[in-house]
Amino acid sequence: MRVKCDGELMKVRLHCIDTPEMGQRPWGKESRDYLRELAPRGSSVQIKGHKKDRYGRLIGEVMKDGVNLNLTMVREGQAAVYVKYCKDAQYDEAENSAKGDEIGIWAKPGTHQVPWSWRHRN
């Protein structure tokens, strides 16, 4: 996600989640578009920053109007919990709910459910 903070454009990696890559069609585009619906261009968001990743992106939880967008992405089946980097039980609960409802990436089996595996497939 790209945000503007004090006039500076910055990249934010959403904490605890991993979304399908754009090459994982149609899931990558659907996930990106869903996040854009949650926080359209020009929206005001708050970021609870954790640290920076190896690419210099801020890792954080993005809030809009008191709603945690990271958690919403998981709850709505638009992202998987990145277990390697997340120890927050509410994310696991949200993912289990999405899986049970078979929504978003959980509607159909495939590598889109585990983007980290898809990225390292070769």
Side-chain angles (χ1 to χ4, degrees):
M1 176 179 218
R2 291 182 183 96
V3 297
K4 192 177 275 189
C5 183
D6 294 328
E8 181 184 339
L9 191 62
M10 38 185 301
K11 291 182 180 180
V12 177
R13 168 92 171 82
L14 284 84
H15 176 66
C16 272
I17 73 171
D18 199 5
T19 59
E21 298 292 330
M22 292 305 291
Q24 294 180 275
R25 297 176 190 219
W27 302 281
K29 182 180 181 314
E30 289 175 2
S31 179
R32 180 203 60 200
D33 291 349
Y34 188 75
L35 182 59
R36 286 179 175 174
E37 285 177 30
L38 293 174
R41 186 179 302 269
S43 296
S44 179
V45 297
Q46 297 77 42
I47 300 171
K48 178 182 173 186
H50 291 266
K51 61 181 181 176
K52 289 199 174 187
D53 68 9
R54 64 183 173 190
Y55 304 107
R57 299 174 296 191
L58 176 66
I59 300 171
E61 290 180 285
V62 181
M63 307 291 287
K64 182 175 182 288
D65 302 325
V67 175
N68 182 326
L69 302 188
N70 305 39
L71 193 56
T72 300
M73 291 288 288
V74 173
R75 187 177 294 118
E76 296 302 320
Q78 297 301 320
V81 175
Y82 208 165
V83 178
K84 182 177 177 180
Y85 299 105
C86 187
K87 305 300 179 215
D88 189 331
Q90 66 181 339
Y91 283 88
D92 295 326
E93 292 167 14
E95 183 176 274
N96 289 335
S97 177
K99 284 178 179 179
D101 292 341
E102 297 181 338
I103 58 175
I105 63 174
W106 309 111
K108 177 174 168 179
T111 58
H112 55 281
Q113 294 177 337
V114 285
W116 51 90
S117 293
W118 187 86
R119 284 191 297 274
H120 302 288
R121 68 194 180 285
N122 293 329

